[in-house]
Amino acid sequence: MTSKAQQVIKDMQQNLEEETYLRFGVNRPCCNQMNYSLTLSRTKKEQEEVLVLHDIKILIDPSDSHFTDLTEIDFEGDGFIIRNPNPLVSPII
């Protein structure tokens, strides 16, 4: 997570005036489509793991961890950017 993303997330959390988590994962809306999900949440789901990175509590579902490993979260302009060095769909060889 870049320092810019950290600051934006901390500012957003501070504006809510309650303890919140950053939920990071993958949505599967259809077939073989995958989209990243990045939201603030006041609650933790039972199956989610809590990671603490730069004083930010991050919720990750274990089933998404192989899609989110080594992913960088950045903030540019007016939005978050997800950079993943690993392909989400590997070719069959």
Side-chain angles (χ1 to χ4, degrees):
M1 187 178 307
T2 66
S3 59
K4 179 66 177 172
Q6 291 169 40
Q7 188 58 52
V8 171
I9 292 165
K10 287 178 181 180
D11 289 347
M12 291 169 61
Q13 288 176 317
Q14 191 171 15
N15 288 338
L16 293 174
E17 299 177 0
E18 286 186 42
E19 182 179 43
T20 58
Y21 300 96
L22 177 69
R23 180 173 283 123
F24 179 52
V26 176
N27 288 328
R28 295 163 188 86
C30 173
C31 310
N32 36 343
Q33 290 181 333
M34 288 192 224
N35 301 316
Y36 289 107
S37 172
L38 191 64
T39 59
L40 291 179
S41 177
R42 291 184 176 114
T43 60
K44 175 190 171 300
K45 296 176 185 173
E46 186 175 328
Q47 76 274 12
E48 290 178 315
E49 296 176 352
V50 178
L51 304 172
V52 180
L53 183 63
H54 307 288
D55 296 326
I56 297 171
K57 293 179 183 177
I58 303 170
L59 299 175
I60 296 182
D61 189 308
S63 66
D64 290 343
S65 64
H66 61 283
F67 296 114
T68 58
D69 256 3
L70 303 175
T71 299
E72 178 186 65
I73 300 171
D74 195 4
F75 189 88
E76 292 181 8
D78 61 352
F80 289 97
I81 296 175
I82 309 294
R83 293 189 186 95
N84 189 335
N86 306 304
L88 291 179
V89 181
S90 299
I92 299 174
I93 298 175

